[in-house]
Amino acid sequence: MQLKEIPVTGIPYDQIKIEKVPAAPEYCERPAELIPSANRAVVINPNRTCMPLGAMWAVLGVRKAIPFVQGAQGCTTYVRYTFCRIFKEPAVIATASFHEDAAVFGGRRNLVEGIRNLVVRYWPELIGVVTTCSSEIIGDDMVSFIKMARANLRKEIGPEKADRIPIVLVNTPSFAGSHVEGYDRASRAFVETLATTKGEPNGKVNIIPGLFYPGDIREIKHLLRHMGVEAIVLFDISDTLDAPLEPPMSVPYYPPGGTAVGEIRDMANSLATFALQPHAGQAGARYLERKYGVRAVVGPPPVGVQGTDAFLKALREITGKPIPKSLLQERGRLVDSLADTLHHTMMKKVAIMGDPDIVLGVTRFVLEMGMEPVALAGGTASKTFVHDVEAILAEAGYEGEPPLIINGGDLFEFEEYLKKQPRLDLIIGNSRAVDISRELQVPLVRVGFPIYDRFGYQKRPIVGYRGGEMLLAEIVNSMLDYQYPDDRTQQL
């Protein structure tokens, strides 16, 4: 039965049937000059999201911290919805709730009253103020506003209690950059605001993981634990965005874990700072290096054999701790798995999309498998992405057809290029590539942010040797599940 309009009572789910009717019976080739995103005034199927999201992600990795968004309600609602879809966890994010009056007269009153309400109701240990496009465009003087908010708190709850709650400002105009840059800016803002004094060396290393999932951070901690290295993990979401359900829960509820404020203050006394994702965390690492002489080790992402090797060798050099046999055995198991599956992965054509650091890490790993990348799409424009890709290909001795490198473009450009390829065996990327995978009828292996159409991927690591084994198994099984090989070189 077809309805011309939806009744007031609604339609039951069992009666809803949505048919996707193609706009044309077959593929229509687009004008070549309109395919590159640089030649268009519009973005089609974006490969990134807005800058404030990355900053909110970072704040939620701090113990008992709450992001306060200086913008409209939608800026908060969208991010909370996104995090809920991905992590299946409640994300407490406060908002200044901009309306027309704030857009005209500024958001000072919204921030001062909002900070006050947030403190007296939730008593957080830290507040991360995240700006948006609206507050940046109207020119809110955020530094002065925060001073007014603190003065108001001192008057109402007393100087002692008010001064115990640090307020960190992260400027993230969402009309520029992406979520990757938002996280990167947060890494600098936190160490610049909190790590203000140099004291006695603490013998630890700082880890800025970047936009890795809770399962990845747990795997990084596993490597550190076996190395016997103490670390301060900045923006540790391993528990805050993957918390156990242990009723009864106190109100206001804060998930366990997160980086303590005191640990962030102590980061200036560490031996080195590891920014595992150069595009998401390098700013914080470089600041500590310039200000306090804390060595910055920027990348590569510890994905696959070589990426994890580089991470552990740098740890060994800086701390003097040897790489234990237990980790060498994990490495051996990954190498053994690569050898066991080479006949499934060699010469397979693969396209990779997502955040630039995920693309770089996975590209290095698929080259270790003998696969051939045909297109690499980094969603955030970068000054180093193209050079980094070329360096990885040269390092691997890759002699195949050079892949298309999309630096900051959209997925329309990515998809149009893949449609013209004579063969494609696999796509590796996030959930935004689902429709492309179905359109091209090739399997999709999901990695990176966001993954919202599958359950549990936020718990599964891709970093380290054990994460590499899991990712390798996912790649091989996806190809086997999609089309069982019928040629002799690919038999089990």
Side-chain angles (χ1 to χ4, degrees), residues 209-250:
L211 293 159
F212 278 124
Y213 283 138
D216 295 302
I217 297 179
R218 291 196 186 107
E219 190 64 23
I220 293 298
K221 290 181 177 180
H222 163 79
L223 297 175
L224 294 167
R225 188 165 52 250
H226 277 254
M227 286 282 291
V229 174
E230 290 188 77
I232 298 171
V233 180
L234 182 62
F235 309 141
D236 182 2
I237 63 167
S238 59
D239 288 323
T240 60
L241 290 177
D242 189 21
L245 182 60
E246 297 177 316
M249 297 178 178
S250 59

Side-chain angles (χ1 to χ4, degrees), residues 303-306 338 342 345-352 358-376 392-393 396 398 403 426-429 445 447 468 471-472 475 479:
V303 178
V305 178
Q306 295 179 71
L338 288 168
L342 182 62
T345 59
M346 64 178 182
M347 299 182 292
K348 292 296 185 181
K349 304 287 187 179
V350 59
I352 306 170
I358 295 295
V359 173
L360 292 171
V362 172
T363 298
R364 181 179 280 108
F365 191 33
V366 299
L367 289 170
E368 293 172 359
M369 302 178 203
M371 303 181 83
E372 299 179 8
V374 298
L376 306 171
I392 290 172
L393 296 173
Y398 180 70
L426 182 69
I427 297 175
I428 302 178
V445 171
V447 298
L471 179 56
L472 173 62
I475 288 172
M479 292 190 293

Side-chain angles (χ1 to χ4, degrees), residues 68 70 96 98 101-113 135 138 140-142 145:
F68 183 91
Q70 182 73 349
F98 274 21
D101 56 343
V104 175
F105 301 110
R108 178 183 60 82
R109 189 184 70 178
N110 299 64
L111 184 133
V112 171
E113 293 181 359
S135 59
I138 63 180
D140 275 350
D141 185 354
M142 297 302 297
F145 290 0

Side-chain angles (χ1 to χ4, degrees), residues 5-26:
E5 60 181 24
I6 298 176
V8 176
T9 55
I11 304 174
Y13 281 110
D14 59 354
Q15 296 181 18
I16 294 179
K17 182 180 179 182
I18 301 175
E19 294 184 5
K20 294 185 177 180
V21 181
E26 58 185 14

Side-chain angles (χ1 to χ4, degrees), residues 108-128:
R108 178 183 60 82
R109 189 184 70 178
N110 299 64
L111 184 133
V112 171
E113 293 181 359
I115 293 288
R116 180 263 174 198
N117 293 336
L118 179 60
V119 168
V120 299
R121 293 180 185 181
Y122 288 90
W123 293 100
E125 293 186 5
L126 180 142
I127 298 172

